[in-house]
């Protein structure tokens, strides 16, 4: 699969290394000479000098035949422009943008970017997950399905500890997909599985039902 990565910094460099290792055709577009040298030294002739926000550069990169464009520069605005040009001028099927500011996420989605990855949001979610008052972490949205995959940590004092799966009243359109237990690892959620303290439950739910799901699984 031909994938273009806009931005040859640390994130772009590591992405290119992994995707090349999986056998994908990769091109990294980068403006900075030092970053170009670093990527080229390790990965060879997979770097193109240029501004990935410019249509001319993307045309030279063969963006029209790319299956995916991933924009991971350090600037949200540049990542948005690169993805928009790829999406609307070259009809790239999948565009993914790195964002730093979580408030930009809605704008990127409104403008047609297929997916965003916000490191700030991930770190905040992980911090919140460790707090008893924030036991739920959104993992991924299932586009087109109106559903979201979330992870719920069961507090030691939850009323659900000792309850079997079949007895839990989940919100409508919510399902438990996986249970991760510290001493046993991943468990398939059969109806007779009993919830234990500190279990991490992966569930599928509607975005608006997170509070009900949290109360059903982690409530006191």
């Amino acid at each position: 699969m031909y994938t273009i990565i806009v931005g040859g910094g640390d994130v772009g460099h590591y992405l290119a290394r992994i995707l090349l290792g999986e056998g994908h055709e990769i091109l990294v577009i980068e403006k900075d000479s030092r970053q170009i040298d670093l990527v080229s030294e390790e990965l060879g002739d997979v770097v193109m000098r240029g501004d990935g926000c410019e249509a001319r550069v993307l045309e030279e990169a063969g963006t029209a035949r790319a299956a995916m464009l991933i924009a991971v520069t350090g600037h949200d605005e540049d990542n948005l422009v690169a993805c928009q040009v790829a999406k609307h001028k070259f009809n790239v099927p999948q565009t993914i943008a790195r964002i730093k500011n979580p408030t930009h996420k809605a704008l990127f989605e409104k403008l047609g970017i297929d997916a965003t990855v916000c490191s700030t949001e991930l770190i905040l979610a992980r911090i919140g997950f460790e707090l008893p008052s924030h036991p739920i972490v959104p993992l991924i949205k299932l586009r087109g399905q109106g559903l979201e995959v979330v992870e719920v940590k069961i507090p030691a004092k939850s009323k659900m500890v000792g309850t079997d799966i079949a007895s839990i009243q989940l919100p409508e359109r919510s399902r438990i997909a996986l249970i991760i237990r510290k001493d046993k690892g991943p468990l398939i959620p059969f109806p007779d599985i009993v919830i234990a303290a500190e279990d991490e439950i992966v569930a599928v739910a509607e975005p608006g039902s997170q509070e009900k799901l949290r109360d059903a699984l982690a409530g006191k």
Side-chain angles (χ1 to χ4, degrees), residues 1-8 11-12 15-16 19 24-29 52 58 63 66-73 78-80 82-83 86 92 94-98 113 115-117:
M1 180 172 73
Y2 181 39
T3 299
I4 294 174
I5 299 172
V6 177
V11 176
L15 269 176
L19 293 174
H24 296 286
E25 180 186 2
I26 299 298
L27 179 68
V28 178
I29 300 176
L58 291 178
T63 304
M68 181 181 295
L69 182 138
I70 308 170
V72 291
T73 76
D78 289 347
N79 294 336
L80 174 61
C83 285
V92 175
Q94 288 291 324
T95 52
I96 300 174
R98 172 193 183 194
I113 309 308
T116 58
V117 179

Side-chain angles (χ1 to χ4, degrees), residues 16 45 52 55 61 81 108-109 119-120 131 138-139 154 156 184 209 214:
D45 189 22
V81 172
F108 276 55
E109 292 178 350
S119 55
T120 306
L131 301 176
L139 297 178
I154 304 297
K184 295 185 178 179
S209 65
R214 180 189 61 197

Side-chain angles (χ1 to χ4, degrees), residues 87 96 130 179:
K87 192 75 179 177
I96 300 174
E130 299 302 328
I179 297 173

Side-chain angles (χ1 to χ4, degrees), residues 27-182:
L27 179 68
V28 178
I29 300 176
E30 171 58 49
K31 294 185 290 188
D32 185 84
S33 298
R34 189 178 65 86
Q35 293 296 341
I36 291 172
D37 291 342
L38 287 172
V39 177
S40 299
E41 184 176 339
E42 179 188 354
L43 303 179
D45 189 22
V46 299
V47 190
M48 173 181 173
R49 184 189 303 273
D51 185 345
C53 296
E54 295 182 1
R56 176 187 57 79
V57 172
L58 291 178
E59 184 172 10
E60 291 177 7
T63 304
R65 69 178 184 86
M68 181 181 295
L69 182 138
I70 308 170
V72 291
T73 76
H75 304 283
D76 290 4
E77 295 80 5
D78 289 347
N79 294 336
L80 174 61
V81 172
C83 285
Q84 277 198 296
V85 174
K87 192 75 179 177
H88 299 299
K89 184 174 178 60
F90 297 102
N91 298 314
V92 175
Q94 288 291 324
T95 52
I96 300 174
R98 172 193 183 194
I99 57 175
K100 289 184 175 178
N101 187 339
T103 64
H104 290 167
K105 187 173 183 177
L107 174 64
F108 276 55
E109 292 178 350
K110 185 177 181 179
L111 294 176
I113 309 308
D114 295 294
T116 58
V117 179
C118 179
S119 55
T120 306
E121 194 174 60
L122 291 174
I123 292 169
L124 287 173
R126 194 66 226 180
I127 292 172
F129 189 63
E130 299 302 328
L131 301 176
S133 57
H134 296 80
I136 189 165
V137 176
L139 297 178
I140 188 172
K141 286 185 178 179
L142 304 177
R143 293 180 67 84
Q145 303 300 317
L147 296 171
E148 189 170 26
V149 180
V150 300
E151 185 176 356
V152 183
K153 188 173 183 178
I154 304 297
K157 295 182 178 179
S158 169
K159 62 184 180 184
M160 288 297 110
V161 174
T163 303
D164 60 61
I165 296 291
S167 301
I168 300 176
Q169 298 295 317
L170 295 173
E172 189 176 355
R173 298 194 69 203
S174 297
R175 297 287 185 277
I176 294 175
L178 186 69
I179 297 173
I180 302 172
R181 187 159 293 170
K182 277 188 176 179

